């Protein structure tokens, strides 16, 4: 069996703010942007890595989601407990400085973890936790 992870999905509540964060702050390229208003599905990914992407999607767009579930998702996004992703870089300090300069909420400065990795964490404009670990 030959399976790869191609696309991860994170919710957004302001597509323009999320697009600016992933494109301008993280330096990801925009691969597609479909829909309109708040109902936009935006695919971004690291330059030179066409097989890896993040789909920024409106939360609870599925017609099967109930109003109670939509409200719960919105509450969790507001608290920053709904979505998260783990990214990696070879130069954590330079990446941290660049992302921090983008007026981003810092959750954790670069830290050597007791389980053997060094990482930092931010929140994107939708409240998603973005952890970035250092590749060694």
């Amino acid at each position: 069996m030959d399976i790869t992870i191609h696309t991860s999905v994170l919710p957004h509540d302001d597509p323009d703010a999320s697009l600016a964060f992933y494109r301008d702050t993280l330096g990801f390229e925009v691969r597609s942007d479909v829909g309109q208003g708040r109902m936009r599905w935006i695919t971004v990914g690291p330059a030179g890595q066409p097989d890896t992407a993040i789909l920024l999607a409106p939360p609870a767009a599925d017609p099967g989601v109930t109003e109670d579930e939509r409200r719960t998702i919105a509450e969790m996004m507001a608290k920053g407990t709904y979505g998260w992703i783990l990214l990696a870089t070879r130069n954590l300090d330079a990446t941290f400085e660049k992302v921090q300069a983008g007026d981003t909420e810092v959750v954790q400065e670069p830290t050597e973890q007791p389980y053997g990795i060094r990482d930092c964490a931010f929140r994107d404009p939708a409240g998603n936790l973005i952890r970035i670990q250092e590749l060694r």
Side-chain angles (χ1 to χ4, degrees), residues 5-136:
I5 297 173
H6 183 268
T7 304
S8 295
V9 179
L10 289 175
H12 70 67
D13 55 2
D14 180 339
D16 291 325
S18 291
L19 178 61
F21 174 77
Y22 286 93
R23 181 191 58 212
D24 304 336
T25 302
L26 293 183
F28 284 5
E29 60 187 20
V30 179
R31 303 203 178 128
S32 69
D33 186 346
V34 298
Q36 58 186 341
R38 292 189 175 272
M39 296 303 282
R40 287 168 55 195
W41 285 257
I42 304 165
T43 304
V44 296
Q49 298 178 42
D51 295 333
T52 302
I54 299 172
L55 173 63
L56 304 169
D62 184 327
V65 175
T66 67
E67 283 304 314
D68 284 345
E69 292 167 332
R70 282 188 178 86
R71 189 173 29 260
T72 298
I73 291 169
E75 290 170 359
M76 291 179 72
M77 287 177 66
K79 288 174 47 181
T81 58
Y82 186 68
W84 69 282
I85 194 164
L86 178 59
L87 306 175
T89 182
R90 295 213 177 273
N91 189 336
L92 185 64
D93 293 318
T95 300
F96 177 81
E97 292 302 321
K98 182 178 181 210
V99 175
Q100 184 181 33
D103 196 28
T104 304
E105 179 186 346
V106 175
V107 176
Q108 174 203 301
E109 294 191 7
T111 303
E112 191 73 38
Q113 301 292 351
Y115 40 88
I117 65 166
R118 185 168 181 262
D119 65 357
C120 64
F122 299 92
R123 291 216 185 276
D124 77 2
N128 298 305
L129 183 65
I130 312 298
R131 295 201 74 85
I132 305 173
Q133 76 178 54
E134 187 169 57
L135 293 174
R136 296 180 176 171

